[in-house]
Amino acid sequence: MVLLHVVFEHAAGYALFAVKEVEEIGMLLPQVVEASVLNVGKFSSVVNLSAFFPFKSAQTALENINAISEGVLHADLKLFLETNLPIGGKKKALLGVSDAKLGAALQEDLDLSIQTGGVVAEIIRGIRLHFHSLVKGLTAQAASKAQLGLGHSYSRAKVKFNVNRADNMIIQSIALLDQLDKDINTFSMRVREWYGYHFPELIKIVSDNSTYCKLAKLIGNRKELSEESLEALEEITMDSAKAQAILDASRSSMGMDISPIDLINIESFSNRVVSLSNYRQELQEYLRSKMGQVAPNLAALIGDVVGARLISHAGSLTNLAKYPASTVQILGAEKALFRYWGSPSLLGVRMAAVMAGQGWIGSGALKTRGNTPKYGLIFHSTFIGRAAAKNKGRISRYLANKCTIASRIDCFSEVPTSVFGDKLRGQVEERLSFYETGDAPRKNLDVMKEAVAEVIHINAEYLHNPLHPY
């Protein structure tokens, strides 16, 4: 004999309902329940309230809903079911739940038979509709207020999640930094072309875009350049020989004459480009400070810019921390990896990484007989640039492994510190030296013990700080 119970999670608390008439008809058909859902009288003959566990406070309700949303069995729900669900006896207990992830957690912890979908979905739909009528003492207005309050608390908690590590600021900053690089480069080339008609020799003397724009703004009409301007030229170029070359070139230039109105527009545009360059430097400092707060270990290991690109490409620091090292290694190389594999997915990335590690043919290699990419965004790290050609794949795999460790430490540690990042960077340096010289690197266990000892000391100082918020 099967005895069906349904657990329902409400903002007011947990409720356990026993489904009637299951013994007589075996299992209710969804169509039968659907016909009685709209009528509270008929539906009351289908289900009966066995037990109700009200939440003691709004905080308790928020903790329980967070656990349910993550598919975790909360202690309150476990105690409620163990107390009220008839597990022993001749009749088998079958528990219906709405969420499959929660059902898997219940089945694992309580060793219950779980059912989702089908008739259970229809029963839960009816319970949700008539909940205030099925639970004595609970009015529709009180149930609505509980739902509204918990909904606001849950949404507010989700918005404020990880508020002290605002990786969204890093994502926006690195995106703006890339856009500024493109814009400054485009605008600088426009200034070079525009001012080059008047002073073409300046392009060969000065190669830096920002310096060129500053000089175009300072010089203006080249015919007015004199020995008195030599000091100002040296201040911009930081080179006396180059300043003298600019002065000499202005006297024998083959450029065309230019009108005052044209010079005004060139100087105005050059000033805008210089302002953008200055703002880019400020933004890079801001990104460096943010990475020091949000992901200090990842920044210490691989650098601020590359670390920020990894976070941005993953979507968040939490997503990056969830990725395996094989995914981090080729993060950013999706176009090459999926050229013939179709749309990218995390599973596909893992499969490709495994296939690449085993020497199988992958990526576009299905047609081109090529190999899978060895690195993505981490290619911009100095470690891969310093490695020999035969060791680039090996050091990229090792570096991706360390990046994964650093991102997980940054994501889940309470006190931000770069100790682990510095130690991991030292390990990559030792591994790079090992590939070149054969000197055996230190064991990972010894390095991590040193890092943990330093972090414990830092945490002790942090907690004993009188300005500490807790």
Side-chain angles (χ1 to χ4, degrees):
M1 217 42 105
V2 177
L3 186 61
L4 177 62
H5 284 77
V6 176
V7 63
F8 182 71
E9 313 91 24
H10 191 267
Y14 293 118
L16 185 66
F17 290 89
V19 181
K20 300 178 184 178
E21 301 177 358
V22 174
E23 293 86 349
E24 287 78 4
I25 63 174
M27 284 299 294
L28 288 173
L29 296 175
Q31 295 83 358
V32 177
V33 180
E34 186 178 355
S36 61
V37 160
L38 297 178
N39 191 318
V40 64
K42 290 183 179 180
F43 190 72
S44 298
S45 64
V46 177
V47 297
N48 181 35
L49 179 65
S50 296
F52 180 64
F53 174 76
F55 294 132
K56 296 179 181 179
S57 63
Q59 183 63 32
T60 305
L62 182 59
E63 291 175 2
N64 279 270
I65 194 175
N66 283 329
I68 291 170
S69 65
E70 295 171 6
V72 178
L73 179 60
H74 195 273
D76 291 344
L77 179 57
K78 183 178 181 180
L79 180 62
F80 172 67
L81 291 176
E82 287 177 341
T83 305
N84 299 287
L85 193 63
I87 299 176
K90 295 181 179 179
K91 296 182 179 180
K92 282 188 177 180
L94 178 64
L95 184 63
V97 294
S98 58
D99 187 15
K101 289 195 298 182
L102 180 61
L106 287 168
Q107 190 170 11
E108 182 179 353
D109 284 10
L110 300 179
D111 193 21
L112 294 172
S113 297
I114 302 297
Q115 182 177 348
T116 58
V119 66
V120 172
E122 294 297 332
I123 291 173
I124 290 177
R125 189 164 68 93
I127 293 172
R128 186 181 297 111
L129 182 62
H130 305 296
F131 186 74
H132 60 278
S133 301
L134 298 172
V135 179
K136 293 182 179 179
L138 182 67
T139 62
Q141 186 178 6
S144 178
K145 283 184 178 180
Q147 288 176 331
L148 184 62
L150 183 58
H152 285 174
S153 300
Y154 180 73
S155 302
R156 194 179 299 114
K158 284 295 181 184
V159 171
K160 288 186 176 182
F161 177 69
N162 221 4
V163 67
N164 295 322
R165 302 170 184 167
D167 46 9
N168 285 332
M169 305 303 171
I170 291 175
I171 294 172
Q172 296 300 326
S173 298
I174 193 64
L176 182 56
L177 203 63
D178 291 339
Q179 188 64 47
L180 281 175
D181 286 336
K182 293 179 183 178
D183 292 344
I184 290 172
N185 185 54
T186 303
F187 295 159
S188 299
M189 293 304 296
R190 185 64 58 199
V191 173
R192 285 175 180 270
E193 292 180 10
W194 201 354
Y195 191 65
Y197 290 114
H198 176 62
F199 194 179
E201 292 79 7
L202 185 62
I203 297 175
K204 297 180 179 180
I205 300 172
V206 180
S207 58
D208 183 67
N209 289 332
S210 179
T211 305
Y212 185 93
C213 293
K214 291 178 182 177
L215 288 172
K217 178 185 174 184
L218 173 68
I219 296 170
N221 192 338
R222 71 172 194 280
K223 294 182 179 179
E224 298 177 1
L225 202 62
S226 61
E227 296 286 344
E228 298 176 355
S229 306
L230 195 60
E231 185 178 350
L233 291 174
E234 289 182 10
E235 186 178 348
I236 294 176
T237 59
M238 306 294 290
D239 189 348
S240 58
K242 193 174 287 187
Q244 186 64 46
I246 294 171
L247 183 61
D248 296 340
S250 67
R251 293 169 178 169
S252 59
S253 176
M254 298 177 64
M256 60 179 283
D257 293 336
I258 195 167
S259 63
I261 187 65
D262 293 334
L263 274 177
I264 290 172
N265 281 279
I266 292 173
E267 289 176 6
S268 177
F269 188 48
S270 301
N271 190 37
R272 293 291 181 92
V273 179
V274 171
S275 299
L276 280 177
S277 299
N278 294 334
Y279 174 64
R280 188 202 176 280
Q281 293 178 357
E282 295 175 3
L283 184 64
Q284 193 159 11
E285 288 297 324
Y286 168 76
L287 178 63
R288 184 176 291 109
S289 66
K290 274 294 176 185
M291 284 295 291
Q293 297 171 12
V294 178
N297 293 294
L298 186 63
L301 171 62
I302 204 169
D304 303 310
V305 175
V306 181
R309 289 190 201 283
L310 288 174
I311 293 173
S312 176
H313 201 83
S316 68
L317 180 61
T318 306
N319 290 346
L320 183 64
K322 292 177 182 178
Y323 286 169
S326 58
T327 303
V328 175
Q329 181 182 348
I330 55 176
L331 202 63
E334 288 84 3
K335 186 179 288 187
L337 184 65
F338 297 103
R339 191 167 288 134
Y340 301 106
W341 278 14
S343 59
S345 65
L346 182 57
L347 180 60
V349 173
R350 292 179 182 174
M351 289 175 61
V354 171
M355 292 168 70
Q358 294 179 353
W360 295 358
I361 297 173
S363 182
L366 293 174
K367 293 184 179 180
T368 62
R369 308 294 295 179
N371 294 324
T372 53
K374 295 185 180 68
Y375 26 65
L377 292 170
I378 62 172
F379 178 76
H380 299 287
S381 170
T382 56
F383 294 115
I384 297 177
R386 288 159 49 196
K390 64 179 181 179
N391 295 325
K392 286 186 183 295
R394 299 166 70 186
I395 198 66
S396 66
R397 184 166 59 250
Y398 188 80
L399 180 60
N401 185 18
K402 299 303 178 185
C403 286
T404 304
I405 295 172
S407 62
R408 290 171 183 174
I409 293 172
D410 288 329
C411 182
F412 300 110
S413 61
E414 295 181 359
V415 180
T417 174
S418 62
V419 172
F420 284 100
D422 294 332
K423 296 292 183 183
L424 293 172
R425 185 180 183 86
Q427 283 190 287
V428 180
E429 292 280 2
E430 291 177 6
R431 182 55 63 101
L432 198 60
S433 176
F434 168 70
Y435 291 150
E436 296 174 357
T437 63
D439 296 336
R442 291 179 296 168
K443 291 184 178 180
N444 186 63
L445 181 62
D446 298 334
V447 176
M448 289 297 104
K449 281 182 178 179
E450 293 179 10
V452 168
E454 291 185 26
V455 169
I456 290 174
H457 180 68
I458 292 172
N459 288 351
E461 292 182 350
Y462 180 76
L463 292 172
H464 287 88
N465 187 351
L467 299 178
H468 186 263
Y470 302 108

